[in-house]
Amino acid sequence: MTKKQKIFADEYLIDLNATRAYRVAYPSVKKEETARANGSRLLTIANVAEYISERMKERQKRTEVTQDRVVEELASIAFSKATDYVTIRGNTVFVKPTESLEEEQVRAIAGIKEGANGIEVKLNDKEKALELLGRHLGMWNDKLDIKTPAIDESLKEMEEYFERQKARGSGPPVE
């Protein structure tokens, strides 16, 4: 791999933007279209692609961030319910103690604060989490994709995850 290709690859790993990475590695290139086309081309060169892949695997091991972990986190947010965090008796709302919550329930909490009317529990954006999960599963794709083995595999993984959640007594409501 050339020195410029290594600069490109290292820059690409910052934000996965090939156009920006190409412009850093080759600052004399002024046209956006040229940088976009050449950045895309560099990603197909075997030793560049292998270098990027290896660095990404190293980062995944180091940070322990995996697709499964991200999907589980999104599922915790997407399928949380207000009644997981509060109970209502009469006209009074009681916030449940955090130590009584499951780990998945705690992950869905964006914040807890003392407000003017008592304790406020703010949950992460459920709609956004559902959207991201749907995208991951290919549910919101406007394009017709004839080949879907990755989606089928992801769907199977999600079904297994929800079965585990159901067995533990948490997860989405079942109709």
Side-chain angles (χ1 to χ4, degrees):
M1 178 174 0
T2 69
K3 183 179 177 184
K4 295 248 185 201
Q5 287 174 336
K6 185 175 182 323
I7 292 169
F8 166 81
D10 289 336
E11 285 295 323
Y12 177 77
L13 287 166
I14 292 171
D15 59 5
L16 306 181
N17 183 328
T19 303
R20 189 197 61 74
Y22 189 86
R23 293 181 95 169
V24 170
Y26 300 90
S28 62
V29 173
K30 302 298 179 204
K31 290 186 177 179
E32 184 84 9
E33 304 84 44
T34 303
R36 186 179 310 116
N38 289 341
S40 180
R41 183 183 54 76
L42 275 177
L43 291 173
T44 65
I45 296 174
N47 57 349
V48 173
E50 185 178 329
Y51 177 83
I52 290 170
S53 177
E54 286 302 313
R55 297 296 84 71
M56 289 176 95
K57 285 177 188 171
E58 289 171 8
R59 179 171 48 200
Q60 183 175 331
K61 282 182 188 173
R62 204 172 49 250
T63 62
E64 297 180 3
V65 175
T66 64
Q67 279 190 3
D68 288 346
R69 188 167 171 205
V70 171
V71 168
E72 285 178 10
E73 192 79 9
L74 285 171
S76 295
I77 296 166
F79 301 112
S80 63
K81 304 179 303 259
T83 55
D84 291 341
Y85 307 95
V86 298
T87 55
I88 301 170
R89 282 187 237 130
N91 291 332
T92 308
V93 177
F94 296 93
V95 177
K96 293 180 181 177
T98 53
E99 58 269 3
S100 72
L101 300 176
E102 297 289 328
E103 180 61 32
E104 293 82 21
Q105 294 169 322
V106 173
R107 286 192 237 147
I109 298 174
I112 302 173
K113 70 177 186 176
E114 183 82 36
N117 297 317
I119 296 174
E120 297 176 20
V121 178
K122 182 177 189 306
L123 299 179
N124 285 300
D125 189 343
K126 182 179 182 106
E127 188 175 327
K128 183 67 174 177
L130 285 166
E131 178 187 338
L132 291 170
L133 279 173
R135 259 197 226 154
H136 176 73
L137 295 172
M139 296 169 72
W140 319 137
N141 191 354
D142 292 336
K143 298 176 185 174
L144 179 61
D145 185 10
I146 304 302
K147 298 178 241 165
T148 60
I151 293 170
D152 293 341
E153 191 65 72
S154 294
L155 186 56
K156 182 179 174 188
E157 290 172 12
M158 288 297 294
E159 287 171 347
E160 290 170 359
Y161 171 77
F162 291 128
E163 286 301 317
R164 288 193 310 270
Q165 294 301 312
K166 192 168 33 170
R168 289 176 34 197
S170 65
V174 180
E175 294 183 39

